[in-house]
Amino acid sequence: MRKQFLFIFLALIVANTSQAQGKTTRIGYIDMEYILENVSDYKEAKSQLELKAQKWKQEVEAKKLNINTLKESLKAEKALLTKELIEERETEIKFQEQEMMDYQQKQFGADGNLMRQKAALAKPIQDQVFTAVQDIAEAKNYDFVFDKSSDLTMLFSNKRFDISDQVLRVLNRTEKREQLTKKQLKEQEAKENLENAIDENPAMADRQKALDEKKAAREKLIQDRKLEQEAKKKEYEDRRNAIAAEREAKKNGTVSGTAKTASETPAATEAAKTNATAKPAANATEGTTTAEPAMTKAEERQLLYEQRKKELEEKRKKILEEREAAKKAKEAGTQKTNTTNN
């Protein structure tokens, strides 16, 4: 009931202010829970507090288990005990139950350690948030700024009036400014002005998102081309080294294992097998074991040329597919932007 009265009271204030001043009233809101969850210092301290709370829960469970053990023991031995011993054990059980309840209330009650430490943990950041909200409200002429996570019930809230991200940026800027040089400060201020302009204009935010997507696609294409050039360069170097090693081996009358491994391709291996099959009869007739090269230099160059041509064709096809995918993504983003503006 109190929330409803508060909401009606605020609505009347807004209406009266708008009529009295004859201007549009600017209203914004923040989500304090969202802000706190995105502040690194708060998250770390909250994790430590959760570990404490888990330890307290374990202690409560241990006390409950001990009480249950006492109850089961009394139930099993009750027929053998005197009235005085039974009353004594029951008194002990009640005492431990009360002690457990007091401990639970102390740690998890409305005014317990958990709630107090949570409040103490959030207060410094909340003070910073309130200061940031005041600065934003003065700079952008907000008449009212509400907290979505407070007692005020917001039946509907348009996302474009949410300034929580702006508050987070102010908090992060305060930490970063102490470590920036003058040049970096100027760049940071320019970036902040752009972010503020985007916050004020949703259409500009959509355009900026489309530009960021184009930039990411362009950078990816440049990176792919760079990797492709490096791969081509490495492949060329390997081929040149393999050919040089093979020539040196032929010149010395030996076959280099490195040259053979580097120069053999699936096509070259197949050609070597064909030559080896065609020559056994001739070698048997001559009765010699003269070593002959698997193929001539012209054949080798032709095989390398065919292999290179095939690889380039596959890479070209891949690049065309990536460009087509980027084009479709761009068209989809443009169509979505047009739909949103309409």
Side-chain angles (χ1 to χ4, degrees):
M1 197 68 176
R2 185 174 64 85
K3 293 180 182 179
Q4 293 178 353
F5 280 124
L6 178 60
F7 185 78
I8 293 171
F9 176 71
L10 290 174
L12 291 173
I13 291 176
V14 171
N16 291 334
T17 304
S18 178
Q19 292 176 358
Q21 297 180 357
K23 66 169 188 175
T24 302
T25 301
R26 298 201 66 187
I27 300 175
Y29 70 90
I30 63 169
D31 188 343
M32 182 66 76
E33 293 180 359
Y34 168 77
I35 294 172
L36 291 175
E37 291 298 329
N38 284 276
V39 176
S40 58
D41 292 341
Y42 178 80
K43 286 194 291 187
E44 292 176 3
K46 185 181 177 183
S47 298
Q48 296 178 2
L49 183 58
E50 287 175 353
L51 291 176
K52 282 186 180 180
Q54 188 64 29
K55 183 179 179 181
W56 294 336
K57 287 180 181 178
Q58 292 174 357
E59 292 175 356
V60 171
E61 291 298 324
K63 291 178 182 293
K64 286 182 180 179
L65 183 61
N66 185 43
I67 291 171
N68 289 334
T69 302
L70 291 175
K71 287 182 177 180
E72 291 295 328
S73 177
L74 176 59
K75 183 178 179 181
E77 300 174 4
K78 196 169 186 178
L80 304 175
L81 299 175
T82 62
K83 184 177 179 181
E84 290 78 8
L85 288 174
I86 292 173
E87 290 177 353
E88 182 179 343
R89 288 200 181 183
E90 288 177 345
T91 302
E92 177 65 19
I93 291 172
K94 288 180 180 178
F95 173 78
Q96 291 201 23
E97 285 180 337
Q98 186 61 43
E99 186 181 42
M100 183 266 294
M101 292 175 65
D102 292 342
Y103 181 80
Q104 191 172 15
Q105 185 67 20
K106 176 185 175 183
Q107 305 296 354
F108 301 102
D111 193 31
N113 286 332
L114 182 61
M115 297 302 295
R116 287 204 305 271
Q117 291 188 31
K118 272 187 178 181
L121 179 64
K123 190 176 185 309
I125 300 173
Q126 286 175 337
D127 293 340
Q128 296 178 36
V129 170
F130 294 148
T131 303
V133 167
Q134 290 177 357
D135 294 339
I136 293 172
E138 291 176 1
K140 299 189 176 182
N141 298 321
Y142 281 101
D143 296 295
F144 299 97
V145 178
F146 302 122
D147 181 8
K148 185 179 180 180
S149 60
S150 66
D151 291 338
L152 177 61
T153 302
M154 300 185 72
L155 301 178
F156 172 76
S157 57
N158 194 317
K159 182 64 179 175
R160 69 191 182 94
F161 298 119
D162 187 357
I163 62 172
S164 301
D165 289 326
Q166 297 179 46
V167 173
L168 276 173
R169 284 200 293 269
V170 171
L171 297 180
N172 294 331
R173 289 168 191 167
T174 304
E175 296 179 2
K176 292 179 181 178
R177 283 181 184 276
E178 299 175 357
Q179 304 173 357
L180 298 179
T181 62
K182 291 183 178 179
K183 183 178 179 181
Q184 290 173 331
L185 280 173
K186 289 183 179 179
E187 294 175 352
Q188 183 68 20
E189 288 176 357
K191 184 179 177 182
E192 291 171 6
N193 293 333
L194 177 60
E195 290 173 346
N196 292 334
I198 291 174
D199 290 333
E200 292 294 323
N201 190 352
M204 186 176 179
D206 293 335
R207 288 197 298 271
Q208 184 64 34
K209 183 179 179 182
L211 289 174
D212 291 340
E213 290 175 353
K214 288 181 182 178
K215 183 179 178 182
R218 188 164 58 251
E219 290 176 351
K220 184 178 183 302
L221 183 60
I222 293 173
Q223 184 66 19
D224 291 342
R225 287 179 179 175
K226 185 178 179 181
L227 292 174
E228 183 181 355
Q229 290 175 356
E230 291 176 355
K232 288 179 182 177
K233 184 177 179 181
K234 185 177 184 303
E235 183 182 356
Y236 172 76
E237 292 292 334
D238 292 342
R239 278 206 314 273
R240 189 176 67 175
N241 293 336
I243 292 172
E246 187 175 357
R247 287 177 179 173
E248 185 67 22
K250 287 180 181 179
K251 181 179 178 182
N252 297 332
T254 60
V255 179
S256 172
T258 305
K260 182 179 178 183
T261 303
S263 62
E264 280 187 349
T265 61
T269 304
E270 188 65 27
K273 287 182 180 178
T274 304
N275 291 336
T277 305
K279 293 180 179 178
N283 288 338
T285 303
E286 294 175 3
T288 61
T289 57
T290 304
E292 295 184 7
M295 62 183 72
T296 64
K297 293 180 179 179
E299 291 173 341
E300 181 180 323
R301 285 197 297 270
Q302 182 64 25
L303 287 172
L304 291 174
Y305 172 76
E306 293 294 335
Q307 181 185 3
R308 179 64 182 154
K309 182 178 178 181
K310 183 178 179 182
E311 291 175 353
L312 289 174
E313 184 65 25
E314 291 176 352
K315 289 176 181 178
R316 188 177 71 84
K317 184 178 179 182
K318 182 179 178 182
I319 291 172
L320 289 175
E321 290 175 353
E322 290 178 351
R323 287 180 178 175
E324 186 66 23
K327 183 179 178 182
K328 290 181 180 179
K330 176 183 175 182
E331 291 175 353
T334 304
Q335 185 177 4
K336 182 178 178 182
T337 303
N338 293 335
T339 304
T340 305
N341 293 335
N342 293 335

